[in-house]
Amino acid sequence: MTPPTTSAAPAQQGNPEFAVGSLVHARGREWVVLPDSKPELLVLRPLGGTDDDIAGVLPALETVKHARFAPPSATDLGDQSAAGLLRSALRIGFRSSAGPFRSLAGISVEPRPYQLVPLLMALRQETVRLLIADDVGIGKTVESGLIAAELLAQGDARGLVVLCSPALAEQWRAELRGKFGIDAELVLASTIGRLERSRMYGHSVFRPDRNYVVSTDFIKSPRHRDDFIKNCPDLVIVDEAHTCVADTGQGGARQQRQQRYALLRSLADDPGRHLLLVTATPHSGKEEPFRNLLGLLDKQLETLSLDRGPGRDLLTRHFVQRRRADIRDDFRDDANFPSDRLSAEVDYTLHDDYRQLLDEVIAYARETVRSADGALQQRIRWWSALALLRALGSSPAAVRKTLHTRAGVQDADSVTEADAIGSRTVTDPADDEASESADAAPGALLAPGDTDPDAAALDEEDRARLLGLAEAAKALAGPVKDRKLKQLIATVKELLDEGYNPIVFCRFISTAEYVKEHLDAALNRGGKGKKGDRKKAYAIEAVTGELSPDQRVTRIAELTEEGEDGEAPPERRVLVATDCLSEGVNLQESFDAVIHYDLAWNPTRHEQREGRVDRFGQRRDIVKAVTLYGADNAIDGIVLDVLLRKHARIRKATGISVPVPDSSENVMQAVLEGLILRGERPEYEQESLFTVESAAGRQTAELHEAWQSAAEREKASRSRYAQNAVKKDEVAKEVAEVRASLGTGEEVRRFTHHALKALRGVPGPLRGEPDGFTMNAEALPAPLRDAFGTLLGPRHPRPVAFHDAPTAPRGEVALTRTDPVVASVARFVLDAALDGRMPQWQRPARRCGVVRTAAVGKRTTLLLVRYRFQLTLPGRDGVNRQQLAEDARVLAFRGGAKAPEWLPEEEAVALLEARAATSTKREFAQERIEGVLGSLESLMPVLEERGEELAARLLDSHRRVRGAFRDVRGASGPARRGLRVDVQGRPDVLGVYHYLPVPVLDGTNGTDGTTTNGEAR
């Protein structure tokens, strides 16, 4: 690397204190002084290095000198692209950018403009209290992560805790680490023992300055709650916050929510604690839980009228809720999620043998329930019978498993308890934790016990009847008699032929395994598998609740990533899953269609399933959702008409997904009782299953009316509370500032492609992505090739795929500035440009160049200049914190250095696209560059003045982003004082590029020696 020039006096000989951002020479290289440096200990980062290279230096023991960056050498000449490559490499490598946000340069996700809205809202609060209620799939995790990263980067938060369900804990930790560089400790029932053993005696597991992901239900227990509240970090994110407010439900679910709410209420009572509540369903149609949720942000919101005046204004500052349509209208191409979800219903008819078994099971259920002795025994038998019917509608495998599994409801001691157990194990309750354990067969076998003494006396005829049902179910296995399975195979083949990779959602573990086995046999007929001679045409795996969360992630990785032998991941794949995957695992990168093999008895579950692929980061513009149902299966008809189709109609009419009212379970019970106990059959030729005159019909109509009313209220509330605290124009201004300092996605894409091609990479097209590409990296310089292997894995797919998207599958590259592979390319290009000793072919960017081009009519000089700034950010604790910011700018002037005509910034940037019209002799080019280099000192006052202008702009952007601070009560508060931006040291001139107009040809000897405007060459 070309060494900067150094001053003579070492720091320990009376030199003034080294300021943040200053350049120093120590240990034989150059460093930048970072925040947290003290006179006795300097925290340094190598010039052009990363945070991994940060070191501490003691000036009392080591020689530390001020340094100045050396100017370019006139012999270091590059071609027409040298300036653009060097500028891009420099900007991509920044981790302390000069934009208005301190964290964006160091995170591994490129936020879309609409995702900056919650961040802007947060920065305008003294203590952040926000309810982020954007639709499913918009990116609430990214939005809350952005706020957390920024508060931590600014020093306004010391530590972070995420409260979530245990099933989502590992996913949250991975998101924080992978996208935001935040390492967090898992605190779960399975990890608390280790954490307690590793702590010092008498100390808490928690520290206010650490980061944690914590199971809400684990930490709410009396044993851990008080210690957690006492030592909780000052920034709390609550995932699925709607499950933490009490509703009017019965039994254990309501008690669970009350305990969660008590925990959050204690945390929210600390007025200095930042609190982010995250949920896609803040309002279930009930006002009380919604008000309790808002009251965690500000107690006034529990009682103030939200329709007008102070209440509405206060809510606007704390509440953001947007539909996808809202974001598309405001941000258009920056939405970055599918433009549409195509939904379809596909029916099938039961085989005669299957229909006969269904009739027999219904008859058995009717006789069993009717013959019960007492209310408790009747409810136990009812739920056992319903479990058997649900299993039969799922698969023959589920029937056999259910008939051989003891009914869990038999443990109930009361009718209320029986209904609670039955509802949890047979139906699909709305409680978000339920899906974690709901895929096991509920059981229908009534074993001997006190609650059902008749079970001990089942006669041989009854036993034979049950055994006959199990054997009949076994005989139905396979696509010949199981027409539902046959239709699934056909549907999956159709989706695969269209280029989709589907997820098949099943209700039970046994069904998922059954489906996986038969899909594999049907799709891979003749295939040998991994250990055979032929590779399977389709990769198929099943993920169920039998696997731990970590095992689920591993199983999915086996399906979507390269094998241990370096085998590339299959392009065509099918994932069969239960609802254990309806939340918590990112599947949008590898799958783009959903098939509902089993109808969920709760429309929210369908929405969660489809939300696994229809979300932020999905690369396919249109995703698909297919619902299978039995055209002559009465129970499927009930579920469709009472629940699913009504939900779909409401969603289509209002544009929002509204949870089904609580009365839905009672209505379903009534309708099913009519079918099972009284033999009431649906009228399929009618629009409704039941006539309004029937009891079931009246209850269904009342449910739909209540549901429609809730939908209208929700639609009205969204319109009433539409986010207007932050305007689109404000976001556009900040996005422009961010892109000015960090660059755009298009710049990253062009830089990466051009740099790798110049370094002997071989580019190729990426199927299905016109802006993506592949790159054969075998001929790259060894250090860069090694970096690829380290970052992507030694057996990563070859050639390497580069996706023009915010995310990429493991082993591939996302064309974003923070992708580790892109960053490594930028680092290599920058280091090579600054090190003249490297082989010339490994230096695509150079610090000088002379270009003859039609883009200029007069000689023009472009300077690539790096500025460093010292930011002083006042904290809410009254402490001013110093931070470093870096910026790279291009400045250009026409004519000579003695009387320069400075160009506007946009014209200077446009020169980077200038293309050479003719070649230039090297001796002539060196002479020109030497002339410019000799004038650099005379240009320095202008460069320094431009630095002061940039500092003023940066100060203005920080003030604009933060706005007027308000405290948590909503009253006006004083603005923080002490915000400063100071230019640190002289600007570094990294590159000098000279552009000359094209000479005019005289038709005699090639040229007359002048340009089109008469200027001498």
Side-chain angles (χ1 to χ4, degrees):
M1 182 180 294
T2 305
T5 58
T6 58
S7 59
Q12 62 267 34
Q13 295 179 356
N15 270 5
E17 178 181 340
F18 294 103
V20 171
S22 60
L23 193 63
V24 298
H25 182 87
R27 299 181 181 176
R29 64 186 306 180
E30 285 62 50
W31 309 74
V32 176
V33 180
L34 299 181
D36 299 328
S37 292
K38 300 177 181 178
E40 65 275 12
L41 175 64
L42 295 180
V43 181
L44 307 176
R45 185 184 65 207
L47 187 64
T50 67
D51 288 347
D52 293 335
D53 305 317
I54 290 175
V57 174
L58 298 169
L61 301 179
E62 301 183 62
T63 299
V64 181
K65 299 180 180 180
H66 287 288
R68 287 178 55 187
F69 197 80
S73 168
T75 61
D76 190 23
L77 296 171
D79 61 16
Q80 60 191 4
S81 61
L85 282 173
L86 184 56
R87 174 178 179 257
S88 295
L90 184 64
R91 282 149 58 96
I92 292 171
F94 282 157
R95 291 298 176 264
S96 301
S97 68
F101 307 109
R102 302 304 306 137
S103 61
L104 293 193
I107 63 177
S108 297
V109 61
E110 185 175 358
R112 316 312 290 178
Y114 72 86
Q115 292 174 327
L116 295 178
V117 170
L119 176 58
L120 289 170
M121 294 174 64
L123 293 179
R124 295 176 183 182
Q125 299 181 24
E126 185 71 23
T127 299
V128 179
R129 296 288 175 100
L130 275 183
L131 172 54
I132 303 175
D134 288 340
D135 269 354
V136 171
I138 284 178
K140 293 182 293 297
T141 301
V142 171
E143 292 172 341
S144 56
L146 285 172
I147 296 173
E150 187 66 19
L151 293 177
L152 291 169
Q154 290 186 17
D156 269 349
R158 298 174 58 203
L160 164 70
V161 62
V162 176
L163 294 174
C164 62
S165 76
L168 302 182
E170 183 56 51
Q171 176 70 15
W172 263 102
R173 182 170 72 163
E175 292 279 305
L176 289 174
R177 177 190 295 138
K179 292 182 177 178
F180 303 101
I182 299 173
D183 287 317
E185 187 76 61
L186 284 181
V187 182
L188 310 169
S190 59
T191 66
I192 190 64
R194 173 180 56 81
L195 295 173
E196 288 179 336
R197 288 191 298 272
S198 62
R199 67 180 175 176
M200 295 181 64
Y201 178 76
H203 288 245
S204 171
V205 166
F206 299 97
R207 284 179 47 177
D209 59 348
R210 295 288 179 85
N211 306 315
Y212 304 92
V213 176
V214 181
S215 163
T216 309
D217 281 340
F218 170 75
I219 209 63
K220 77 181 189 316
S221 66
R223 178 185 172 190
H224 302 288
R225 182 183 57 209
D226 293 341
D227 176 58
F228 172 66
I229 293 173
K230 181 180 178 181
N231 297 283
C232 180
D234 54 1
L235 171 56
V236 176
I237 298 175
V238 183
D239 191 28
E240 301 298 342
H242 64 281
T243 66
C244 300
V245 287
D247 58 14
T248 56
Q250 299 293 323
R254 186 168 188 267
Q255 183 180 4
Q256 292 274 335
R257 291 182 177 227
Q258 287 175 331
Q259 290 176 342
R260 297 173 201 153
Y261 177 72
L263 171 67
L264 295 192
R265 183 71 268 171
S266 297
L267 294 173
D269 284 342
D270 180 352
R273 176 166 283 119
H274 303 296
L275 185 62
L276 302 177
L277 306 178
V278 181
T279 174
T281 53
H283 202 304
S284 63
K286 298 179 182 178
E287 189 69 8
E288 182 183 358
F290 180 57
R291 289 298 191 120
N292 288 340
L293 197 62
L294 295 179
L296 295 171
L297 307 174
D298 190 312
K299 287 186 177 180
Q300 295 182 86
L301 291 173
E302 291 186 8
T303 55
L304 279 175
S305 171
L306 303 180
D307 293 331
R308 62 183 68 86
R312 183 171 180 174
D313 292 341
L314 180 59
L315 180 64
T316 299
R317 293 198 294 271
H318 295 283
F319 183 39
V320 55
Q321 182 179 39
R322 297 165 296 176
R323 300 175 302 169
R324 296 185 180 204
D326 302 329
I327 290 173
R328 287 197 187 96
D329 289 344
D330 285 346
F331 298 98
R332 301 189 183 279
D333 294 338
D334 284 313
N336 204 69
F337 44 73
S339 64
D340 198 7
R341 181 196 308 174
L342 297 184
S343 300
E345 292 180 357
V346 176
D347 65 1
Y348 59 91
T349 56
L350 297 173
H351 188 277
D352 289 343
D353 293 352
Y354 215 121
R355 186 182 300 108
Q356 180 180 346
L357 179 60
L358 177 61
D359 291 340
E360 290 178 7
V361 170
I362 291 176
Y364 171 78
R366 183 181 302 123
E367 295 171 19
T368 301
V369 176
R370 283 178 175 176
S371 63
D373 184 13
L376 175 58
Q377 188 184 99
Q378 186 180 58
R379 296 310 293 170
I380 289 174
R381 293 187 174 187
W382 163 256
W383 285 110
S384 299
L386 198 59
L388 182 55
L389 278 170
R390 181 115 204 236
L392 182 58
S394 179
S395 70
V399 176
R400 297 187 64 213
K401 183 68 174 178
T402 299
L403 283 170
H404 289 87
T405 303
R406 182 178 180 274
V409 72
Q410 196 176 1
D411 295 329
D413 294 325
S414 66
V415 171
T416 301
E417 186 179 1
D419 286 342
I421 296 174
S423 175
R424 185 173 66 251
T425 57
V426 178
T427 67
D428 300 319
D431 194 316
D432 294 80
E433 273 79 32
S435 64
E436 266 308 291
S437 57
D439 57 358
L445 180 62
L446 295 178
D450 296 336
T451 59
D452 196 354
D454 288 345
L458 284 174
D459 56 30
E460 290 301 321
E461 182 180 350
D462 286 335
R463 293 181 186 277
R465 188 176 183 183
L466 290 175
L467 181 61
L469 293 176
E471 289 302 312
K474 181 179 180 181
L476 296 175
V480 175
K481 292 187 176 181
D482 186 354
R483 290 180 177 171
K484 179 182 178 182
L485 176 64
K486 181 180 180 181
Q487 182 59 60
L488 172 70
I489 293 171
T491 301
V492 168
K493 286 182 176 179
E494 182 178 341
L495 287 171
L496 289 169
D497 289 343
E498 293 175 1
Y500 285 87
N501 293 309
I503 306 173
V504 180
F505 276 104
C506 306
R507 177 62 173 79
F508 302 113
I509 295 172
S510 49
T511 298
E513 294 171 345
Y514 165 81
V515 165
K516 189 262 181 184
E517 176 187 352
H518 285 279
L519 272 179
D520 201 358
L523 297 178
N524 291 312
R525 192 168 299 155
K528 299 289 186 180
K530 290 182 179 179
K531 299 187 182 300
D533 296 327
R534 289 180 53 193
K535 179 182 176 182
K536 289 186 178 182
Y538 302 92
I540 304 172
E541 288 289 355
V543 175
T544 69
E546 285 188 330
L547 303 176
S548 69
D550 287 345
Q551 290 173 323
R552 297 170 201 171
V553 173
T554 301
R555 180 69 59 84
I556 294 170
E558 292 172 353
L559 182 61
T560 60
E561 299 172 11
E562 64 176 9
E564 294 182 359
D565 57 357
E567 182 181 10
E571 293 184 358
R572 296 189 291 182
R573 50 189 172 268
V574 181
L575 175 64
V576 183
T578 62
D579 285 312
C580 72
L581 282 190
S582 64
E583 290 190 289
V585 177
N586 287 334
L587 301 172
Q588 72 273 18
E589 295 178 0
S590 303
F591 300 93
D592 42 31
V594 163
I595 300 174
H596 303 286
Y597 187 71
D598 291 331
L599 301 182
W601 289 12
N602 185 336
T604 301
R605 193 64 59 80
H606 274 228
E607 191 70 23
Q608 290 170 341
R609 292 172 175 179
E610 294 171 13
R612 289 298 90 206
V613 300
D614 188 6
R615 62 192 303 108
F616 174 74
Q618 172 61 254
R619 287 187 290 276
R620 187 179 282 272
D621 187 51
I622 296 177
V623 297
K624 287 193 173 185
V626 180
T627 300
L628 299 184
Y629 73 97
D632 51 355
N633 183 332
I635 293 180
D636 277 2
I638 290 170
V639 175
L640 277 171
D641 193 74
V642 175
L643 298 176
L644 300 181
R645 286 174 177 158
K646 181 63 177 178
H647 179 267
R649 287 195 293 268
I650 289 175
R651 187 174 181 271
K652 183 177 181 180
T654 63
I656 55 178
S657 180
V658 180
V660 62
D662 289 344
S663 58
S664 66
E665 190 166 326
N666 295 332
V667 175
M668 283 292 294
Q669 290 283 325
V671 174
L672 290 169
E673 285 176 8
L675 169 68
I676 296 172
L677 301 183
R678 295 183 294 278
E680 297 174 358
R681 308 292 294 189
E683 299 294 334
Y684 290 103
E685 68 273 7
Q686 299 180 8
E687 182 178 351
S688 297
L689 283 175
F690 297 91
T691 61
V692 176
E693 290 74 18
S694 69
R698 287 193 300 272
Q699 287 182 287
T700 301
E702 291 171 359
L703 169 67
H704 288 179
E705 183 178 352
W707 202 348
Q708 188 68 46
S709 297
E712 295 301 328
R713 288 195 301 273
E714 178 68 6
K715 184 178 180 181
S717 72
R718 290 198 177 204
S719 175
R720 187 182 305 124
Y721 310 140
Q723 179 46 236
N724 54 20
V726 177
K727 305 296 185 184
K728 179 175 65 174
D729 292 343
E730 294 180 69
V731 178
K733 185 177 293 186
E734 306 316 329
V735 169
E737 291 286 344
V738 169
R739 288 175 174 170
S741 60
L742 299 180
T744 64
E746 174 61 16
E747 179 184 348
V748 171
R749 188 188 71 81
R750 292 175 60 184
F751 164 79
T752 307
H753 187 277
H754 189 161
L756 290 175
K757 185 178 179 182
L759 291 167
R760 299 183 179 175
V762 181
L766 183 60
R767 192 180 70 172
E769 293 189 37
D771 293 326
F773 57 87
T774 63
M775 189 67 66
N776 188 317
E778 300 305 316
L780 292 177
L784 197 54
R785 196 168 60 247
D786 293 343
F788 274 43
T790 300
L791 297 170
L792 299 176
R795 299 186 180 92
H796 63 81
R798 293 171 173 81
V800 180
F802 289 77
H803 298 275
D804 187 24
T807 57
R810 191 173 300 179
E812 301 179 4
V813 183
L815 286 167
T816 62
R817 61 182 305 280
T818 49
D819 184 278
V821 171
V822 173
S824 71
V825 175
R827 173 79 180 275
F828 182 88
V829 171
L830 179 60
D831 286 349
L834 298 177
D835 188 352
R837 297 166 299 179
M838 292 185 65
Q840 297 305 296
W841 72 270
Q842 296 185 12
R843 304 180 66 230
R846 302 296 178 89
R847 298 185 65 188
C848 297
V850 175
V851 180
R852 284 200 179 274
T853 175
V856 299
K858 187 176 182 179
R859 57 176 170 154
T860 304
T861 302
L862 182 142
L863 306 176
L864 176 58
V865 185
R866 174 171 53 193
Y867 292 94
R868 288 185 293 275
F869 305 94
Q870 180 177 299
L871 305 183
T872 302
L873 300 179
R876 58 189 183 130
D877 55 3
V879 176
N880 290 341
R881 296 175 176 85
Q882 291 186 341
Q883 297 195 3
L884 171 68
E886 296 175 289
D887 201 358
R889 297 285 169 159
V890 289
L891 287 71
F893 61 88
R894 293 190 184 98
K898 293 182 179 180
E901 177 189 348
W902 292 96
L903 275 62
E905 186 174 14
E906 57 271 18
E907 291 186 30
V909 172
L911 285 175
L912 298 173
E913 304 298 324
R915 291 295 170 258
T918 62
S919 60
T920 305
K921 290 184 178 181
R922 184 174 183 83
E923 296 78 8
F924 174 78
Q926 285 187 206
E927 180 183 343
R928 285 285 185 168
I929 292 297
E930 286 172 355
V932 177
L933 293 177
S935 306
L936 279 184
E937 197 60 36
S938 66
L939 298 172
M940 195 56 66
V942 178
L943 304 186
E944 292 175 341
E945 180 183 354
R946 190 64 59 90
E948 295 294 341
E949 293 173 1
L950 291 173
R953 283 173 53 180
L954 181 56
L955 178 62
D956 181 63
S957 69
H958 276 272
R959 285 175 172 164
R960 187 175 61 247
V961 162
R962 283 147 185 81
F965 287 97
R966 298 178 181 273
D967 63 17
V968 292
R969 295 179 299 281
S972 295
R976 300 182 191 173
R977 301 190 181 279
L979 179 64
R980 289 176 56 91
V981 179
D982 297 297
V983 181
Q984 183 56 53
R986 287 161 54 99
D988 300 328
V989 178
L990 272 76
V992 175
Y993 307 93
H994 201 53
Y995 297 86
L996 297 173
V998 180
V1000 176
L1001 299 179
D1002 64 2
T1004 340
N1005 55 4
T1007 180
D1008 65 357
T1010 63
T1011 67
T1012 53
N1013 66 352
E1015 186 182 60
R1017 288 182 296 153

